[in-house]
Amino acid sequence: MTDKNKLGFETVALDDEASALVIIDQTRLPNERSILRLATQKEIWDAIYLLQVRGAPAIGVAAAYGIYLAAKEIDTTDYDVFAKKFAEARDYLNSARPTAVNLSWALSRMGKIVEVGSGEGVETIKKRLLAESRAIQAEDIEMCRMIGEHGLSLLKPGMGLLTHCNAGQLATSRYGTATAPMYLGHERGYGFRIFCDETRPLLQGARLTAYELSEAGMDVTLLCDGMAASAMRNGWVDAVFTGADRVAANGDAANKIGTFPLAIAAKRFGVPFYICAPSSTIDLNTSTGKDIKIEQRPAEEVTTMWYKERMAPESIKVFNPAFDVTDADLITAIITEKGVLRPPFTESLQKHT
Ligand code: MRU
């Protein structure tokens, strides 16, 4: 796939000279391209919590750069003092969102650099942290590129593909996960028809996926989440591709709320349901979906946000989990950078690592 940045701006970048994490504010898209330069740990934490930077792989890259920036600011030559302050900053960033394992995965990878560096000077460790954070981003790009190749091997020209939330370039460093086969197929003239769930309550599908895929010149149709089963019944959907925030050792996969009902509908209509996830999203330390912590978000996201005026009674109770878990038996295959993993996932995921 061409290495061209599909949108003309980076989802996440590091400006080392200015000691800033640079992101496009995803809460302002598609209407406004607002670039944020985040210098403090609080700003970075808020950006992750508020979904200004979001999507499991992009959160991981932002956290890697964020913890590097924190380390850079630690003004000591004493290793123990440095390691203690580093651990505090790591735990703080790790508390921003619980479900996407990429956050703790990236932070623990950065933490290992500090651990093994105990015999080195603090300045050397800081240089290694910079190199590691850049490697995390470079690997993310490569993993998504390979997911595109493996995903496309399952598809034929002219197919209808349905996706949920945004597992696109905006959720990663480039290409996306679920969208990587779409970008690649588009480049190779496959002429896919893409169906994109709007993804209540935060509209990542409408605001982000519909935006980035249509900007790339694809044929995109936007659906409210509850319309996906009807699109399948109409025979418009040949495959469902979604991302994941955490894949457990048995193949259960957490992804944006609304993914699970999509998988049930896909089963009902015999439509293959694919999860696209880089290795950084696979968590063999989590046995099953039951062990995945699901983030609960504020009620206002359902009752008020996006509306000119509140659209629900003032005192109404709200259930607003950000993610759901799709059971492994509903998943046709998990597509990683290494290939297409088939059930039983307990075995194929073990072999994968
Ligand atoms: O709450 P979000 O927008 O961070 O949720 C994102 C998703 O659920 C994505 O599908 C997932 O992180 C995979 S991104 C490649």
Side-chain angles (χ1 to χ4, degrees):
M1 191 170 356
T2 160
D3 190 37
K4 213 171 117 232
N5 182 334
K6 307 286 173 192
L7 287 170
F9 54 77
E10 299 292 339
T11 306
V12 193
L14 174 73
D15 183 344
D16 192 27
E17 222 168 284
S19 293
L21 175 70
V22 186
I23 60 167
I24 175 102
D25 182 351
Q26 298 197 33
T27 64
R28 317 293 294 182
L29 288 171
N31 298 327
E32 203 184 304
R33 290 184 174 199
S34 164
I35 304 293
L36 301 179
R37 306 179 67 78
L38 311 172
T40 68
Q41 291 299 294
K42 166 91 170 71
E43 284 171 343
I44 295 170
W45 191 97
D46 283 351
I48 295 173
Y49 177 74
L50 296 171
L51 276 59
Q52 289 172 316
V53 57
R54 36 113 348 249
I59 292 172
V61 174
Y65 285 144
I67 193 68
Y68 160 67
L69 291 171
K72 204 176 161 187
E73 293 301 303
I74 302 172
D75 188 14
T76 182
T77 52
D78 181 318
Y79 174 81
D80 291 333
V81 175
F82 175 79
K84 185 168 174 289
K85 291 203 167 155
F86 179 91
E88 281 164 14
R90 185 196 56 203
D91 293 349
Y92 174 62
L93 277 183
N94 200 28
S95 69
R97 294 189 77 188
T99 307
V101 69
N102 302 62
L103 177 60
S104 56
W105 169 85
L107 290 170
S108 95
R109 201 167 138 173
M110 295 292 280
K112 284 201 182 95
I113 299 290
V114 176
E115 272 167 44
V116 301
S118 59
E120 320 268 359
V122 167
E123 284 314 307
T124 305
I125 298 175
K126 287 182 183 176
K127 284 198 187 98
R128 293 212 177 125
L129 286 169
L130 172 61
E132 189 73 354
S133 60
R134 291 216 189 276
I136 286 173
Q137 182 161 41
E139 287 166 28
D140 180 46
I141 293 173
E142 185 53 19
M143 288 194 286
C144 289
R145 200 179 66 75
M146 288 313 297
I147 287 172
E149 294 286 351
H150 296 307
L152 191 65
S153 73
L154 303 166
L155 302 176
K156 293 195 179 69
M159 278 183 157
L161 309 176
L162 191 145
T163 192
H164 188 74
C165 191
N166 174 265
Q169 169 164 328
L170 287 162
T172 63
S173 297
R174 206 149 301 170
Y175 315 127
T177 58
T179 60
M182 300 172 190
Y183 278 119
L184 190 57
H186 182 61
E187 247 176 56
R188 296 184 186 168
Y190 273 58
F192 293 135
R193 292 165 290 109
I194 311 294
F195 296 90
C196 174
D197 276 357
E198 74 171 346
T199 317
R200 283 283 294 159
L202 294 183
L203 307 181
Q204 290 94 330
R207 294 186 304 104
L208 306 175
T209 307
Y211 165 67
E212 62 164 276
L213 298 187
S214 58
E215 282 284 297
M218 290 185 218
D219 172 349
V220 184
T221 304
L222 181 63
L223 312 171
C224 297
D225 303 357
M227 300 166 186
S230 295
M232 290 186 208
R233 191 191 283 284
N234 290 351
W236 298 343
V237 181
D238 297 296
V240 178
F241 278 77
T242 77
D245 286 81
R246 191 182 294 247
V247 177
N250 71 340
D252 290 351
N255 191 49
K256 179 54 54 190
I257 190 73
T259 304
F260 170 47
L262 206 53
I264 295 172
K267 183 116 185 161
R268 172 76 176 83
F269 294 107
V271 171
F273 182 91
Y274 298 112
I275 291 278
C276 298
S279 294
S280 51
T281 303
I282 294 167
D283 180 11
L284 297 185
N285 295 321
T286 294
S287 312
T288 73
K290 286 199 187 78
D291 307 307
I292 300 176
K293 180 158 190 223
I294 300 294
E295 177 183 7
Q296 301 293 322
R297 305 275 308 175
E300 293 68 38
E301 289 181 351
V302 177
T303 55
T304 315
M305 226 169 159
W306 318 115
Y307 297 124
K308 278 203 175 119
E309 56 188 292
R310 189 183 166 90
M311 279 293 150
E314 279 297 338
S315 55
I316 202 75
K317 289 189 283 180
V318 170
F319 174 52
N320 184 19
F323 302 96
D324 57 25
V325 173
T326 298
D327 304 302
D329 66 336
L330 296 173
I331 300 170
T332 309
I334 298 172
I335 303 167
T336 79
E337 74 280 9
K338 294 186 187 163
V340 178
L341 309 188
R342 300 280 177 181
F345 294 119
T346 311
E347 283 169 28
S348 51
L349 284 166
Q350 277 292 345
K351 275 194 210 137
H352 174 269
T353 48

